[in-house]
């Protein structure tokens, strides 16, 4: 009795899903035929026709859309992975400061977290780009005895040039994600029982040693899942690159679609790109998780 | 006596800031940093900043390019919203009010749509003329209201024993959560018309609301799944022993508890949504961030980025904080009702 009812529901769902799907597919074909735009991917081979301000590999306007998309991918990976590292460092420092005994340190880090998380990332990116970089003059400000110099062309560290667009995006993503990572790390640290703190303190181990050797290893299992989802957020948020004019995968797809009108194909490429990127990040984190569990 | 309090102060300060050498060093550096930056910020705010860009354009920030003669309509809506917020936060303990507050909040949606969009004798105003803070709030409120039931359906579908429903919901949730929001919004603008019958056209604002709802629903479903999993199986068993049908059990026992558990993360979604409405500035709506961009392109205000961004940051911060307060209030009310 129950089984046959389930069976009927299942069949009915199939019919409804197929029905909805065919209505949408029909509308789509009608609309696409009207615009003479039936789905195909041949346009990927035709020349892109636009220039790119920065690319990891050589790119000229006569190169194909496919090559442009690959370059966009590389640009995305560049900002995502440098962002991951910097945001983790910032989050670690801030998260540990949040649990510090020093009131000043605690207040300062919680003010930073509270402020950053209540203001849209896009607004922060505009701020870093237009106020942080473009309002600077041509002549650069030197820090640390000219090891680092900052101007409206970006940042130069030891001869390596980072464009203003890349730098603004990287700083924005780092500062924004760092605040969320700090909360994850604080949660993890608080999950370690107070007794552990008292134990290492009574053994005369210094605060920094104790945190890094006793508390953090125990907090890691609680931290890693939260960290993974923050990394995924950072990867997705990196698509706001378009707001500051950095040529990431989304910005390139956006331009390609606007030029060719290939919205469906473009969406498909972008969706697959991000599913792969998510898979990559989750797999790496899974690997780290395993390594940590083994070493413990 | 006075000596005593003074020495306890000194002791407290010593304990909190200067308990050892490293601590003293950190504290000194921080004090210098904090004092220096506070001085810098205040002197900039008072002497350097040119606030005319904000004070001359308050109506633009609030209404965008809404017709000037009809400003009273969104104003009225915003005033009622502010009053309702104040009542909810401060006077909701009073018996009669408490009963009507949820109804009043739900009522704010049709009232807002009629006041701003027109109808019932008011001149219709096309949504392309909506803008500023009003549009930001409309996008946030409508998208949350649409995405909530959608999220419930997806969460329940994901738990379904029927394979095809379970799989369809799972794929939807996972794909949506993997794609960046800006892509969903951009393709929403482009693709929604392609999937609709020829001749049926919907406005840019409505397309944005739909895209936001489809996106947020996946996240809400995931939050609710957490809430659903937190409910012990014994409750379902107890309900079925008492003669509740599966649908009744879901509706009266499981869902209310799951929603209650998920409230903190649900309100975080709404706050996130409010911040993310700013993405529509890239896609051509003149909500709060969009109107600021066009303002900064005005030759009269060239280069006043800092002033506009600080003002916007303050506005977003204020609205987010109010929403967080309301959510904490709601949480308290619900746990209070639980006894």
């Amino acid at each position: 009795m129950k089984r046959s009812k389930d069976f009927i529901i299942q069949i009915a769902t199939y019919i409804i899903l197929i029905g909805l799907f065919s209505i949408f597919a029909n509308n789509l074909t009608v609309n696409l035929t009207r615009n003479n735009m039936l789905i195909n991917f041949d346009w990927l081979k035709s020349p892109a026709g636009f220039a790119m301000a920065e690319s990891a590999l050589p790119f000229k306007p006569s190169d194909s859309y496919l090559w442009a998309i690959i370059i966009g991918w590389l640009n995305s990976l560049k900002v995502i992975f440098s962002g991951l590292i910097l945001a983790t460092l910032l989050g670690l420092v801030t998260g540990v400061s949040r649990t510090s005994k020093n009131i000043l340190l605690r207040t300062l880090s919680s003010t930073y977290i509270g402020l950053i998380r209540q203001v849209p990332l896009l607004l922060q990116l505009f701020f870093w780009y237009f106020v942080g970089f473009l309002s600077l003059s041509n002549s650069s400000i030197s820090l640390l005895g000219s090891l680092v110099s900052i101007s409206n062309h970006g940042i130069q560290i030891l001869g390596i040039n980072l464009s203003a667009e890349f730098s603004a995006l990287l700083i924005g993503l780092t500062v924004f994600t760092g605040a969320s990572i700090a909360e994850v790390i604080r949660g993890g640290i608080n999950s370690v029982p107070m007794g552990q703190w008292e134990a290492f303190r009574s053994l005369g181990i210094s605060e920094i040693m104790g945190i890094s050797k006793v508390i953090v290893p125990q907090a890691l299992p609680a931290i890693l899942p939260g960290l993974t989802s923050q990394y995924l957020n950072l990867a997705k948020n990196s698509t706001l690159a378009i707001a500051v004019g950095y040529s990431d995968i989304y910005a390139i797809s956006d331009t390609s679609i606007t030029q060719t009108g290939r919205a469906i194909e473009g969406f498909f490429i972008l969706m697959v790109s991000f599913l792969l990127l998510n898979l990559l990040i989750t797999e790496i984190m899974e690997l780290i998780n395993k390594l940590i569990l083994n070493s413990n | 006596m006075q000596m005593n309090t003074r020495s306890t102060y000194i002791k407290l300060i010593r304990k909190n800031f200067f308990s050892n050498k490293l601590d003293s060093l950190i504290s000194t550096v921080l004090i210098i940093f904090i004092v220096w930056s506070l001085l810098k910020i205040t002197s900039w705010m008072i002497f350097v900043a040119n606030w005319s860009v904000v004070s001359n354009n308050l109506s633009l920030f609030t209404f965008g390019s809404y017709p000037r003669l009809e400003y009273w309509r969104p104003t009225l809506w915003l005033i009622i919203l502010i009053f309702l917020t104040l009542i909810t936060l401060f006077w909701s303990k009073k018996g009669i009010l408490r009963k009507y507050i949820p109804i009043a909040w739900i009522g704010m949606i049709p009232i807002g749509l009629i006041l701003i969009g027109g109808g019932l004798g008011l001149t219709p105003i096309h949504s392309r003329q909506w803008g500023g803070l009003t549009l930001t709030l409309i996008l946030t409120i409508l998208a949350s209201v649409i995405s909530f039931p959608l999220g419930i359906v997806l969460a329940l579908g994901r738990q379904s024993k029927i394979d095809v429903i379970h799989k369809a919901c799972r794929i939807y949730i996972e794909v949506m959560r993997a794609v960046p929001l800006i892509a969903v919004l951009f393709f929403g603008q482009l693709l929604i018309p392609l999937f609709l019958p020829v001749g049926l056209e919907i406005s840019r604002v409505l397309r944005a609301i739909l895209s936001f709802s489809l996106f947020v629903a996946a996240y809400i479903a995931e939050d609710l799944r957490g809430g659903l999993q937190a409910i012990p199986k014994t409750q379902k068993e107890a309900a079925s022993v008492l003669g509740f049908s599966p649908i009744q059990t879901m509706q009266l026992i499981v869902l209310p508890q799951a929603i209650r558990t998920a409230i903190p993360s649900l309100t975080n979604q709404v706050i996130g949504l409010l911040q993310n409405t700013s993405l529509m500035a890239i896609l051509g709506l003149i909500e709060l961030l969009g109107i600021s961009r066009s303002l900064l392109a005005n030759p009269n205000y060239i280069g006043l980025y800092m002033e506009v961004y600080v003002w916007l940051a303050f506005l977003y911060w204020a609205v987010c904080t109010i929403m967080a307060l309301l959510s904490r209030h709601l949480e308290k009310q619900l746990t209070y009702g639980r006894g």
Side-chain angles (χ1 to χ4, degrees), chain B residues 30-51:
Chain B
L30 284 182
I31 289 172
I32 294 171
F33 172 72
I34 292 172
V35 170
W36 177 80
S37 43
L38 279 180
L39 276 177
K40 270 260 172 187
I41 293 171
T42 15
S43 72
W44 178 82
M45 300 248 284
I46 299 170
F47 302 114
V48 185
N50 176 2
W51 293 112

Side-chain angles (χ1 to χ4, degrees), chain A residues 9 13 27-28 30-31 102 104-105 108 117-118 120 122 126 130-131 236 239 250 257 263 267 270 275 278, chain B residues 23 27 30-31 162 165 177-178 180 182-183 186-187 194-198 219 275 278 293 306 309 316 320:
Chain A
I9 295 178
T13 326
N27 286 341
L28 182 66
V30 170
N31 282 313
N102 190 316
L104 276 177
L105 204 56
L108 196 66
R117 285 170 39 121
Q118 308 276 46
L122 187 58
F126 281 144
F130 290 109
V131 180
K236 282 182 277 178
T239 50
Y250 174 72
I257 291 165
F267 186 60
L270 209 66
L275 287 174
N278 274 21
Chain B
D23 223 23
S27 296
L30 284 182
I31 289 172
I162 297 161
I165 297 182
R177 286 169 56 91
I182 181 81
F186 175 60
F187 291 106
L194 289 182
F195 286 101
L196 293 175
V198 180
Y219 286 79
Q275 298 190 359
S278 62
R293 285 182 94 200
M306 189 78 166
Y309 292 157
Y316 277 110
C320 287

